[in-house]
Amino acid sequence: MTAPQKIILAPSILAGDFGNFARDAQRVEQGGGDWLHCDVMDGHFVPNITFGPDTIAAFRKATKLPLDVHLMIERPDQYVDRFIDASADHLIVHLEAQHDVARTLQQIRARGKWAGLAINPDTPPIKAAPFLDQIDELLVMTVHPGFGGQAFLPEMLSKLQELRFIAGDDLPIIVDGGINPETGRQCVEARANILVAGNSLFRHKTLNLAEAIAELRRHATD
Ligand code: DX5
Ligand code: ZN
Protein backbone atom coordinates (compact mmCIF):
# COMPACT_ATOMS: atom_id res chain seq x y z
CA MET A 1 0.00 0.00 0.00
CA THR A 2 1.39 3.43 -0.84
CA ALA A 3 1.79 6.01 1.88
CA PRO A 4 -0.23 9.24 1.73
CA GLN A 5 1.92 12.14 0.57
CA LYS A 6 1.70 14.44 3.53
CA ILE A 7 2.37 13.03 6.98
CA ILE A 8 1.97 15.32 9.97
CA LEU A 9 4.35 14.87 12.89
CA ALA A 10 3.14 15.93 16.32
CA PRO A 11 5.91 15.63 18.91
CA SER A 12 4.51 15.04 22.40
CA ILE A 13 5.71 17.53 24.98
CA LEU A 14 4.96 14.91 27.65
CA ALA A 15 8.42 13.54 26.91
CA GLY A 16 9.96 17.01 27.22
CA ASP A 17 11.53 18.58 30.30
CA PHE A 18 8.76 19.75 32.66
CA GLY A 19 11.11 22.42 33.98
CA ASN A 20 11.75 23.78 30.49
CA PHE A 21 8.49 23.50 28.59
CA ALA A 22 8.83 26.80 26.72
CA ARG A 23 12.33 25.89 25.54
CA ASP A 24 11.20 22.43 24.44
CA ALA A 25 8.12 23.77 22.61
CA GLN A 26 10.47 26.10 20.71
CA ARG A 27 12.83 23.20 19.97
CA VAL A 28 9.92 21.27 18.45
CA GLU A 29 9.06 24.20 16.20
CA GLN A 30 12.66 24.86 15.17
CA GLY A 31 13.28 21.14 14.74
CA GLY A 32 10.56 20.72 12.13
CA GLY A 33 7.57 19.41 14.11
CA ASP A 34 4.19 20.25 12.55
CA TRP A 35 2.01 20.33 15.66
CA LEU A 36 2.72 20.31 19.38
CA HIS A 37 0.86 17.41 21.03
CA CYS A 38 -0.11 18.21 24.63
CA ASP A 39 -1.29 15.42 26.93
CA VAL A 40 -3.64 16.58 29.67
CA MET A 41 -4.23 13.96 32.39
CA ASP A 42 -6.42 14.34 35.47
CA GLY A 43 -5.55 11.36 37.68
CA HIS A 44 -9.08 9.98 37.23
CA PHE A 45 -9.54 9.00 33.61
CA VAL A 46 -5.93 7.84 33.66
CA PRO A 47 -3.73 7.21 36.70
CA ASN A 48 -1.40 10.12 35.99
CA ILE A 49 -1.58 13.91 36.31
CA THR A 50 0.15 16.32 33.95
CA PHE A 51 -0.94 19.92 33.37
CA GLY A 52 -3.95 22.12 32.67
CA PRO A 53 -5.09 25.21 30.76
CA ASP A 54 -2.47 27.58 32.21
CA THR A 55 0.28 25.42 30.76
CA ILE A 56 -1.45 25.38 27.37
CA ALA A 57 -1.47 29.20 27.51
CA ALA A 58 2.28 29.08 28.22
CA PHE A 59 2.86 26.81 25.19
CA ARG A 60 0.94 29.31 23.09
CA LYS A 61 3.37 32.04 24.08
CA ALA A 62 6.33 29.81 23.25
CA THR A 63 5.32 28.53 19.80
CA LYS A 64 3.16 29.27 16.80
CA LEU A 65 2.60 25.58 16.09
CA PRO A 66 -0.97 24.31 16.30
CA LEU A 67 -1.59 23.00 19.83
CA ASP A 68 -3.07 19.52 19.61
CA VAL A 69 -4.56 19.05 23.06
CA HIS A 70 -5.36 15.48 24.07
CA LEU A 71 -7.72 15.51 27.02
CA MET A 72 -7.37 12.32 29.06
CA ILE A 73 -9.81 13.60 31.64
CA GLU A 74 -13.04 12.23 33.10
CA ARG A 75 -15.24 15.26 32.31
CA PRO A 76 -13.95 16.94 29.14
CA ASP A 77 -17.30 18.71 28.68
CA GLN A 78 -16.59 20.75 31.81
CA TYR A 79 -13.16 21.88 30.65
CA VAL A 80 -13.07 22.31 26.88
CA ASP A 81 -14.00 25.98 27.09
CA ARG A 82 -11.13 26.68 29.46
CA PHE A 83 -8.67 24.96 27.14
CA ILE A 84 -10.02 26.90 24.18
CA ASP A 85 -9.71 30.14 26.17
CA ALA A 86 -6.08 29.12 26.74
CA SER A 87 -5.57 28.94 22.92
CA ALA A 88 -5.81 25.21 22.26
CA ASP A 89 -6.35 24.67 18.52
CA HIS A 90 -7.43 21.02 18.51
CA LEU A 91 -9.43 19.53 21.37
CA ILE A 92 -9.36 15.75 21.48
CA VAL A 93 -11.79 14.06 23.85
CA HIS A 94 -12.10 10.39 24.72
CA LEU A 95 -15.05 8.29 23.72
CA GLU A 96 -14.68 6.41 27.01
CA ALA A 97 -14.88 9.50 29.27
CA GLN A 98 -18.02 10.49 31.21
CA HIS A 99 -19.82 12.89 28.90
CA ASP A 100 -22.30 13.23 26.07
CA VAL A 101 -19.73 12.77 23.32
CA ALA A 102 -21.76 14.31 20.48
CA ARG A 103 -22.52 17.32 22.60
CA THR A 104 -18.92 17.91 23.61
CA LEU A 105 -17.80 17.66 19.98
CA GLN A 106 -20.45 20.19 19.04
CA GLN A 107 -19.33 22.44 21.90
CA ILE A 108 -15.79 22.44 20.47
CA ARG A 109 -16.83 23.06 16.88
CA ALA A 110 -19.21 25.83 17.93
CA ARG A 111 -16.12 27.72 19.07
CA GLY A 112 -14.42 27.23 15.74
CA LYS A 113 -11.84 24.68 16.92
CA TRP A 114 -10.96 21.24 15.63
CA ALA A 115 -12.91 18.53 17.42
CA GLY A 116 -11.00 15.29 17.85
CA LEU A 117 -12.16 11.95 19.16
CA ALA A 118 -9.77 9.50 20.83
CA ILE A 119 -10.36 5.80 21.32
CA ASN A 120 -8.55 3.42 23.65
CA PRO A 121 -6.97 0.16 22.49
CA ASP A 122 -9.86 -1.93 23.89
CA THR A 123 -12.60 0.16 22.27
CA PRO A 124 -13.96 -1.48 19.10
CA PRO A 125 -13.91 0.64 15.91
CA ILE A 126 -17.67 0.42 15.49
CA LYS A 127 -18.18 2.53 18.63
CA ALA A 128 -16.52 5.48 16.89
CA ALA A 129 -18.69 5.15 13.79
CA PRO A 130 -21.61 7.37 14.94
CA PHE A 131 -19.25 10.31 15.50
CA LEU A 132 -17.09 10.23 12.39
CA ASP A 133 -19.03 12.93 10.60
CA GLN A 134 -18.77 15.18 13.66
CA ILE A 135 -15.01 15.24 14.03
CA ASP A 136 -11.95 16.80 12.42
CA GLU A 137 -9.51 14.14 13.57
CA LEU A 138 -9.64 10.64 15.03
CA LEU A 139 -6.95 9.61 17.50
CA VAL A 140 -6.25 5.91 17.79
CA MET A 141 -4.39 5.03 20.98
CA THR A 142 -1.63 2.57 20.18
CA VAL A 143 -0.80 2.11 23.89
CA HIS A 144 -3.06 2.26 26.93
CA PRO A 145 -3.30 5.96 27.81
CA GLY A 146 -1.60 7.45 30.83
CA PHE A 147 2.14 7.29 30.34
CA GLY A 148 4.75 7.93 27.68
CA GLY A 149 7.43 5.41 26.86
CA GLN A 150 5.22 2.32 26.49
CA ALA A 151 5.59 -0.31 23.76
CA PHE A 152 3.42 -0.01 20.65
CA LEU A 153 0.55 -2.51 20.48
CA PRO A 154 0.93 -4.21 17.06
CA GLU A 155 -2.67 -5.43 17.09
CA MET A 156 -3.67 -1.78 16.59
CA LEU A 157 -2.53 -1.98 12.96
CA SER A 158 -5.52 -4.01 11.81
CA LYS A 159 -7.79 -1.75 13.87
CA LEU A 160 -6.33 1.23 12.05
CA GLN A 161 -7.04 -0.31 8.66
CA GLU A 162 -10.60 -1.02 9.74
CA LEU A 163 -11.10 2.55 10.97
CA ARG A 164 -9.69 3.96 7.74
CA PHE A 165 -12.14 1.78 5.82
CA ILE A 166 -15.08 3.00 7.94
CA ALA A 167 -13.97 6.65 7.99
CA GLY A 168 -13.07 7.01 4.31
CA ASP A 169 -10.01 8.69 2.86
CA ASP A 170 -10.42 12.23 4.09
CA LEU A 171 -10.55 12.03 7.89
CA PRO A 172 -7.18 12.73 9.51
CA ILE A 173 -6.24 9.72 11.66
CA ILE A 174 -3.66 10.17 14.43
CA VAL A 175 -1.76 7.39 16.13
CA ASP A 176 -0.50 7.96 19.65
CA GLY A 177 1.78 5.78 21.75
CA GLY A 178 4.99 3.90 21.10
CA ILE A 179 5.60 5.55 17.74
CA ASN A 180 9.14 5.38 16.37
CA PRO A 181 10.45 5.19 12.79
CA GLU A 182 9.52 1.51 12.48
CA THR A 183 6.06 1.57 14.07
CA GLY A 184 5.34 4.96 12.50
CA ARG A 185 6.02 3.51 9.08
CA GLN A 186 3.71 0.57 9.83
CA CYS A 187 0.95 2.95 10.92
CA VAL A 188 1.31 5.01 7.74
CA GLU A 189 1.06 1.82 5.73
CA ALA A 190 -2.13 1.08 7.69
CA ARG A 191 -3.24 4.56 6.56
CA ALA A 192 -2.75 6.77 9.59
CA ASN A 193 -1.55 10.21 8.53
CA ILE A 194 -0.60 11.95 11.75
CA LEU A 195 2.07 10.56 14.07
CA VAL A 196 2.42 11.57 17.73
CA ALA A 197 5.78 10.67 19.20
CA GLY A 198 7.30 11.47 22.57
CA ASN A 199 10.15 9.33 23.81
CA SER A 200 11.45 8.31 20.40
CA LEU A 201 12.06 11.98 19.59
CA PHE A 202 12.96 13.66 22.88
CA ARG A 203 14.98 10.80 24.32
CA HIS A 204 16.67 9.39 21.26
CA LYS A 205 19.91 7.62 22.16
CA THR A 206 22.04 9.26 19.48
CA LEU A 207 20.08 11.94 17.61
CA ASN A 208 19.06 15.39 18.75
CA LEU A 209 15.39 16.36 18.53
CA ALA A 210 15.58 17.89 15.04
CA GLU A 211 17.49 14.88 13.70
CA ALA A 212 15.03 12.46 15.29
CA ILE A 213 12.08 14.35 13.77
CA ALA A 214 13.77 14.23 10.36
CA GLU A 215 14.46 10.51 10.71
CA LEU A 216 10.84 9.77 11.66
CA ARG A 217 9.57 11.81 8.72
CA ARG A 218 11.93 10.06 6.31
CA HIS A 219 10.85 6.60 7.45
CA ALA A 220 7.18 7.49 7.42
CA THR A 221 7.16 9.02 3.97
CA ASP A 222 9.77 7.05 2.01
C1 DX5 B 1 0.06 8.57 26.33
C2 DX5 B 1 0.00 9.87 25.59
C3 DX5 B 1 0.97 10.00 24.49
C4 DX5 B 1 2.41 9.97 24.90
C5 DX5 B 1 3.15 9.22 23.84
O1 DX5 B 1 -1.06 8.41 27.13
O2 DX5 B 1 -1.29 10.09 25.05
O3 DX5 B 1 0.74 11.18 23.72
O4 DX5 B 1 2.99 11.23 25.04
O5 DX5 B 1 4.44 9.02 24.26
P1 DX5 B 1 5.41 7.97 23.57
O6 DX5 B 1 5.60 8.40 22.16
O7 DX5 B 1 6.64 8.09 24.39
O8 DX5 B 1 4.74 6.62 23.65
ZN1 ZN C 1 -1.54 11.90 23.55
Side-chain angles (χ1 to χ4, degrees):
M1 196 174 288
T2 49
Q5 285 186 330
K6 170 76 178 153
I7 300 298
I8 290 172
L9 299 189
S12 173
I13 198 76
L14 183 65
D17 178 351
F18 273 48
N20 288 286
F21 269 159
R23 181 203 67 189
D24 280 354
Q26 285 159 7
R27 284 175 66 214
V28 168
E29 183 170 345
Q30 286 158 9
D34 298 305
W35 296 352
L36 188 70
H37 185 80
C38 312
D39 289 306
V40 175
M41 306 186 190
D42 67 351
H44 294 279
F45 183 71
V46 288
N48 193 10
I49 300 176
T50 55
F51 46 76
D54 291 344
T55 308
I56 299 299
F59 293 148
R60 176 74 303 146
K61 284 189 191 151
T63 176
K64 291 189 177 58
L65 292 179
L67 301 178
D68 190 53
V69 178
H70 180 188
L71 297 175
M72 285 163 274
I73 65 178
E74 196 69 50
R75 291 298 304 266
D77 53 322
Q78 295 182 349
Y79 290 94
V80 288
D81 280 321
R82 286 178 57 190
F83 282 99
I84 292 169
D85 291 344
S87 300
D89 297 289
H90 309 160
L91 286 292
I92 304 168
V93 298
H94 268 265
L95 183 57
E96 303 85 0
Q98 298 299 314
H99 61 134
D100 179 332
V101 175
R103 208 164 155 169
T104 309
L105 295 170
Q106 193 183 30
Q107 197 183 342
I108 297 166
R109 278 189 159 179
R111 293 205 52 192
K113 303 299 175 187
W114 271 34
L117 183 66
I119 58 170
N120 283 342
D122 295 337
T123 300
I126 197 67
K127 292 223 171 168
F131 306 105
L132 296 177
D133 60 352
Q134 301 165 45
I135 61 177
D136 302 292
E137 54 184 3
L138 177 67
L139 185 152
V140 180
M141 289 299 317
T142 43
V143 298
H144 294 282
F147 299 92
Q150 302 180 73
F152 178 81
L153 297 169
E155 58 270 31
M156 293 302 107
L157 291 171
S158 56
K159 182 178 178 181
L160 263 178
Q161 287 177 318
E162 192 178 340
L163 281 162
R164 175 55 78 197
F165 180 75
I166 299 172
D169 289 342
D170 294 338
L171 185 69
I173 297 184
I174 313 177
V175 283
D176 186 7
I179 300 298
N180 57 40
E182 188 191 345
T183 58
R185 171 80 204 172
Q186 292 167 350
C187 288
V188 170
E189 282 171 358
R191 312 238 3 246
N193 45 4
I194 303 166
L195 308 177
V196 171
N199 278 262
S200 72
L201 300 179
F202 279 98
R203 297 175 198 185
H204 198 286
K205 285 198 181 80
T206 53
L207 303 179
N208 67 33
L209 182 65
E211 290 165 345
I213 290 172
E215 184 195 46
L216 178 59
R217 196 183 296 284
R218 202 166 45 244
H219 272 76
T221 52
D222 265 359

